[in-house]
Amino acid sequence: MKTISKLFLYIMCLSTTLLTACAQQSDNSKIVTITKDSTKMNDEQNLSEEELKKKLTPEQFHVCREKGTERAFTGKYYDSKEKGTYKCVVCGNPLFSSDTKFDSGTGWPSFYAPMDTSKVAEHKDKSYGMIRTEVTCSKCGSHLGHVFEDGPQPTGMRYCINSTSLELEKK
Ligand SMILES: [Zn+2]
């Protein structure tokens, strides 16, 4: 009789542990859904990578979220002279003005300055055996391109950006 009650206790403990583990798991999956708050409809920085994968085209996902690079002279904006604001394709953050766009001859849209230095973030990038400065959207962290110090005046900077990461809002 004693053995049976001990066994019963043991099973009770075990099932409590299992139940707690299950409860924790469902809590975790809830967090992902809660981030899609209706008050933040246009704020894509809270979308999970899985949700972004559904929202973006495969090329946009590769460039913006996996730090890919579009082939030179293939993007839709490298040659564009249209006036407007280039926004982050993922979150809509206004990044560059057509006023600072120049023809760099590289095959990628190039700007000598961002709309505001707070709109972009810069990071040291040592990939591919080079030391470069990566530029990302300060709001959602999406990869945009790189910045080099061989641009025209007044800044001398060249923000070399993938068309794929941008969406032009025409003036
Ligand atoms: Zn963004």
Side-chain angles (χ1 to χ4, degrees):
M1 193 62 193
K2 257 187 181 173
T3 324
I4 290 170
S5 63
K6 257 187 192 169
L7 192 69
F8 180 72
L9 257 175
Y10 176 73
I11 290 169
M12 280 299 284
C13 284
L14 193 71
S15 60
T16 314
T17 319
L18 281 174
L19 276 172
T20 318
C22 286
Q24 272 173 355
Q25 214 165 32
S26 68
D27 272 358
N28 279 343
S29 58
K30 257 184 205 160
I31 290 167
V32 178
T33 5
I34 288 167
T35 51
K36 212 176 175 182
D37 191 339
S38 58
T39 59
K40 290 181 179 175
M41 282 295 273
N42 297 314
D43 193 351
E44 307 291 345
Q45 63 184 327
N46 286 322
L47 288 185
S48 71
E49 292 303 291
E50 273 312 302
E51 287 169 308
L52 282 176
K53 208 164 202 170
K54 283 181 205 149
K55 179 189 141 83
L56 304 173
T57 67
E59 199 202 0
Q60 285 171 340
F61 188 83
H62 176 61
V63 171
C64 300
R65 309 308 296 184
E66 299 175 333
K67 305 188 188 300
T69 302
E70 72 196 15
R71 278 191 296 137
F73 302 102
T74 63
K76 57 178 175 176
Y77 295 131
Y78 83 89
D79 210 13
S80 174
K81 305 267 191 297
E82 287 196 274
K83 292 277 171 211
T85 301
Y86 288 90
K87 296 179 157 190
C88 171
V89 78
V90 178
C91 75
N93 193 18
L95 302 169
F96 299 96
S97 162
S98 58
D99 296 340
T100 63
K101 194 173 187 292
F102 67 97
D103 186 5
S104 64
T106 58
W108 289 284
S110 302
F111 306 85
Y112 63 73
M115 294 274 287
D116 186 307
T117 47
S118 70
K119 302 292 182 194
V120 296
E122 298 181 6
H123 319 266
K124 279 274 166 283
D125 173 9
K126 291 181 181 170
S127 63
Y128 302 102
M130 294 177 270
I131 298 176
R132 296 180 293 171
T133 304
E134 185 201 359
V135 183
T136 59
C137 169
S138 64
K139 197 171 163 195
C140 73
S142 288
H143 172 77
L144 305 172
H146 290 89
V147 59
F148 304 91
E149 295 178 2
D150 58 8
Q153 289 307 317
T155 63
M157 304 305 276
R158 172 169 61 93
Y159 287 81
C160 184
I161 308 298
N162 290 286
S163 298
T164 311
S165 304
L166 301 172
E167 184 69 61
L168 174 63
E169 190 177 81
K170 292 174 196 170
K171 247 176 207 164

